[in-house]
């Protein structure tokens, strides 16, 4: 058995004296694990860092075996991803989200979305909004997608400002007014074709929204909790948005 694909490194753990087990998100084969012989060498350690894009070739005698990876670097982002708190926590938090998906289950759009977000995690103002959208995409792929584009009660696409905690669907201001204290807030930046950039308050609402449904549908049924890295990312992103623009972390020069 053999295949090759592009992938993003999610994590690494030791295996024996010199080898490692590498977890990657591939473009066409989903989240996949494999052994890399000599993965603890000085040559391979910089390549096998979370967030790096690599070319992988997987080989095994049978499809159900762990198998071995041969890995070549494509884009080494790890150094840049160590420069801001949003990037450090963001890589870990997104890897944890992808672990909710079945191993070897293809999700090519999540792979593409992950690659885009990794290239923007060093921009804290953008990272938070992108992360919320990533969590919504993961929920959707797990079968718990939210309906945020029209009112569940009236079908209108105007003045959507609530989300029903029961149905996960948007509700307009007028229809939801009698139950406003029981509704979740729908931040404007998640609206249909919205051009609103997320401020700190809207981003906090987005984090609360996705956390509510991730906990209800994904974590609680499995007896799990959201990764602590998510809390670190949320705090870092909100802190960055509360800072004056000239004090916010900037992209490293090439």
């Amino acid at each position: 058995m053999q295949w090759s694909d592009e992938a993003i490194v999610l994590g690494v753990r030791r295996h024996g004296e010199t080898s490692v087990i590498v977890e990657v998100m591939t473009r066409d084969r989903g989240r996949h694990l494999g052994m890399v012989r000599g993965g603890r060498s000085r040559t391979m350690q910089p390549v096998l860092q979370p967030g790096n894009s690599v070319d992988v070739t997987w080989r095994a005698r049978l499809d159900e075996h762990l198998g071995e990876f041969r890995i070549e670097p494509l884009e080494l982002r790890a150094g840049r991803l160590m420069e801001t708190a949003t990037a450090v926590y963001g890589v870990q938090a997104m890897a944890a989200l992808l672990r909710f998906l079945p191993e070897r289950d293809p999700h090519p759009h999540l792979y593409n979305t992950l690659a885009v977000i990794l290239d923007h995690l060093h921009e804290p103002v953008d990272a938070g909004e992108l992360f919320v959208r990533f969590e919504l995409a993961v929920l959707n792929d797990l079968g718990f997608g939210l309906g945020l584009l029209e009112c569940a009660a009236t079908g209108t696409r105007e003045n959507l400002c609530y989300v029903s905690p029961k149905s996960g669907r948007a509700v307009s201001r007028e229809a939801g007014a009698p139950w406003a204290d029981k509704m979740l807030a729908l931040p404007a930046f998640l609206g249909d074709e919205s051009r609103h950039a997320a401020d700190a308050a809207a981003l906090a609402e987005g984090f609360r929204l996705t956390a509510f449904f991730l906990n209800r549908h994904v974590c609680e049924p499995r007896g799990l909790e959201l990764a602590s890295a998510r809390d670190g990312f949320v705090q870092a992103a909100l802190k960055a948005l509360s800072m004056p623009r000239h004090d916010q972390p900037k992209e490293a020069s090439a």
Side-chain angles (χ1 to χ4, degrees):
M1 307 295 298
Q2 178 174 320
W3 52 259
S4 296
D5 203 353
E6 291 183 13
I8 294 171
V9 178
L10 300 180
V12 178
R13 67 175 185 265
R14 293 178 59 175
H15 183 76
E17 293 296 321
T18 61
S19 300
V20 295
I21 303 298
V22 181
E23 180 185 28
V24 298
M25 183 66 180
T26 67
R27 181 185 298 278
D28 298 320
R29 292 170 175 80
R31 187 172 58 87
H32 210 289
L33 281 77
M35 182 177 67
V36 175
R37 297 187 184 277
R40 297 181 62 201
S41 69
R42 292 184 179 181
T43 300
M44 290 305 300
Q45 282 185 358
V47 176
L48 302 179
Q49 296 298 311
N52 284 344
S53 287
V54 294
D55 183 83
V56 299
T57 298
W58 179 83
R59 293 190 182 93
R61 190 169 64 85
L62 297 174
D63 186 62
E64 60 267 25
H65 289 176
L66 172 65
E68 295 185 16
F69 279 147
R70 187 183 73 239
I71 292 183
E72 299 292 338
L74 292 177
E75 183 177 358
L76 303 185
R77 303 184 184 89
R80 187 177 64 193
L81 293 174
M82 295 297 292
E83 295 177 354
T84 63
T86 50
V88 171
Y89 288 119
V91 173
Q92 299 174 50
M94 287 192 293
L97 285 167
L98 291 171
R99 292 183 185 115
F100 289 134
L101 301 169
E103 188 181 346
R104 305 188 183 189
D105 191 15
H107 297 271
H109 63 289
L110 282 181
Y111 171 86
N112 292 331
T113 303
L114 176 63
V116 170
I117 297 177
L118 287 172
D119 287 334
H120 289 83
L121 279 179
H122 58 282
E123 303 167 358
V125 174
D126 299 326
E129 181 176 337
L130 291 169
F131 185 86
V132 169
R133 295 183 184 278
F134 186 75
E135 290 190 315
L136 289 172
V138 171
L139 274 168
N140 186 69
D141 276 34
L142 287 169
F144 306 111
L146 306 187
L148 305 180
L149 300 184
E150 65 178 32
C151 176
T154 66
T156 182
R157 290 175 174 253
E158 303 295 329
N159 297 318
L160 302 178
C161 63
Y162 302 115
V163 178
S164 167
K166 291 184 178 180
S167 68
R169 297 183 62 190
V171 181
S172 68
R173 187 181 306 278
E174 295 76 11
W179 303 277
D181 60 333
K182 298 181 180 180
M183 294 285 187
L184 296 164
L186 174 60
F189 73 88
L190 291 178
D192 187 18
E193 298 183 354
S194 173
R195 297 183 181 275
H196 295 278
D199 57 17
L203 189 59
E205 291 174 346
F207 287 136
R208 284 193 291 270
L209 178 68
T210 51
F212 178 86
F213 289 103
L214 282 167
N215 278 316
R216 167 178 280 188
H217 295 305
V218 183
C219 294
E220 291 174 4
R222 305 183 191 191
L224 302 173
E225 295 182 355
L226 290 173
S228 59
R230 184 186 189 274
D231 291 334
F233 176 83
V234 169
Q235 294 174 19
L238 294 177
K239 180 179 179 181
L241 276 177
S242 68
M243 296 168 59
R245 296 288 297 188
H246 59 79
D247 289 335
Q248 291 169 3
K250 300 178 180 179
E251 181 178 0
S253 59

